[in-house]
Amino acid sequence: MTAETDHSAAHRHAGELADAAARTAGVHLRTVHDVAGLAAVADFFSDVWQTPHSTPPYPAEVLHSLVHAGGAVHAAFAGDRLAGATVAVFGPPAAAEAYSLVAAADRGVGHAVKQAQRAWALERGARTLRWTFDPLVGRNARFNLVKLGGAGTEYLVDFYGPMADGVNVGDESDRLTVTWDLLAPRRPKETGDRAAAPVIGMAPDGALLARRSQDDRHVWCRVPGDIVALRAADPALALRWRHAVRDVFTEAFADGFTATGMSRDGWYTLTREEDTPA
């Protein structure tokens, strides 16, 4: 079987997964090209990020330009109601990688829009898709690393600088880059024995923050249960969490680790592959 055949098969399978995920979520998927549709997506993003419709995170005219340049806006509809949307463009090298600029969806709809985005990227020859997310949002980490099978490959400190939307205001905008292998999404691996590993840090709430295995293959790092609620209730405490998790991640990434998992109780698994002989 040739690489081209593998790619075609992966594209067909991705389309089937997208259709199945849409049926499960009770939505239908389509790409959005028209002015009115793109304006509705811009308003949807405003609602998610709690900004006025007059100042959306992604204005309709920007979305229109991205579509015109060859990108795609995928949307999920529950009847006539917009229930999710995601935006992707191609990055260098265009033949190999696509980049997801933004995604938001109602609960249960995110998997469908990401699978639609995957099928679109595969159809155009991409092998990977990248995007960023706030590493303190544990539910998003679990979706990206466990459900989709991506890997956290880069930690970006204060990536956007100060943000003024209703979700991120008052915090620093650290982001974790996800790299999603579109041809063969990563399967969860053995995560080691977290409970037996030495403690390497305490969290701002006084409980454990991080552990590192004695064989130096795994690091585990905890995040707060709901950083958005915590940020609204106690911004100073939320910022202490930001700095504490940042310290663990930047040290681990400098040592060659990647983020490979997230438990249901809010613990990342970071993994370093064994060195192979030259």
Side-chain angles (χ1 to χ4, degrees), residues 81-119:
R81 183 181 65 83
L82 187 59
T86 187
V87 182
V89 297
F90 272 89
E97 182 172 271
Y99 190 88
S100 179
L101 293 172
V102 62
D106 293 351
R107 185 173 295 275
V109 178
H111 189 238
V113 295
K114 291 305 289 186
Q115 290 296 342
Q117 195 176 58
R118 176 182 175 224

Side-chain angles (χ1 to χ4, degrees), residues 212 215-218 255-258 270-274:
R212 187 162 178 156
D215 65 4
D216 224 22
R217 292 286 310 284
H218 294 99
D255 289 343
F257 286 82
T258 57
L270 292 87
T271 305
R272 180 165 61 184
E273 298 297 333
E274 287 182 315

Side-chain angles (χ1 to χ4, degrees), residues 60-227:
E61 58 268 26
V62 172
L63 296 177
H64 206 169
S65 295
L66 291 173
V67 170
H68 186 252
V73 177
H74 289 90
F77 293 87
D80 293 330
R81 183 181 65 83
L82 187 59
T86 187
V87 182
V89 297
F90 272 89
E97 182 172 271
Y99 190 88
S100 179
L101 293 172
V102 62
D106 293 351
R107 185 173 295 275
V109 178
H111 189 238
V113 295
K114 291 305 289 186
Q115 290 296 342
Q117 195 176 58
R118 176 182 175 224
W120 169 83
L122 281 167
E123 185 179 18
R124 286 153 182 80
R127 290 171 173 78
T128 59
L129 182 69
R130 287 190 306 134
W131 63 92
T132 66
F133 74 100
D134 184 344
L136 294 189
V137 182
R139 64 182 182 277
N140 288 351
R142 186 165 176 81
F143 176 80
N144 291 329
L145 304 181
V146 179
K147 190 170 184 66
L148 295 182
T153 54
E154 182 182 27
Y155 192 90
L156 304 163
V157 175
D158 205 17
F159 184 54
Y160 295 110
M163 301 179 72
D165 62 81
V167 174
N168 295 288
V169 66
D171 197 1
E172 295 174 4
S173 56
D174 290 18
R175 293 294 182 265
L176 186 64
T177 299
V178 176
T179 300
W180 193 19
D181 185 336
L182 300 178
L183 292 172
R186 183 185 52 82
R187 301 300 179 193
K189 296 181 179 180
E190 174 61 42
T191 59
D193 186 359
R194 184 180 82 205
V199 175
I200 60 171
M202 302 299 290
D205 62 3
L208 296 182
L209 173 69
R211 295 177 179 268
R212 187 162 178 156
S213 63
Q214 291 182 325
D215 65 4
D216 224 22
R217 292 286 310 284
H218 294 99
V219 170
W220 297 271
C221 183
R222 184 168 65 93
V223 296
D226 188 339
I227 186 59

Side-chain angles (χ1 to χ4, degrees), residues 33-58:
H33 307 89
D34 61 289
V35 172
L38 293 170
V41 170
D43 286 346
F44 179 78
F45 288 151
S46 284
D47 293 340
V48 170
W49 274 277
Q50 301 174 26
T51 67
H53 285 188
S54 59
T55 55
Y58 287 83

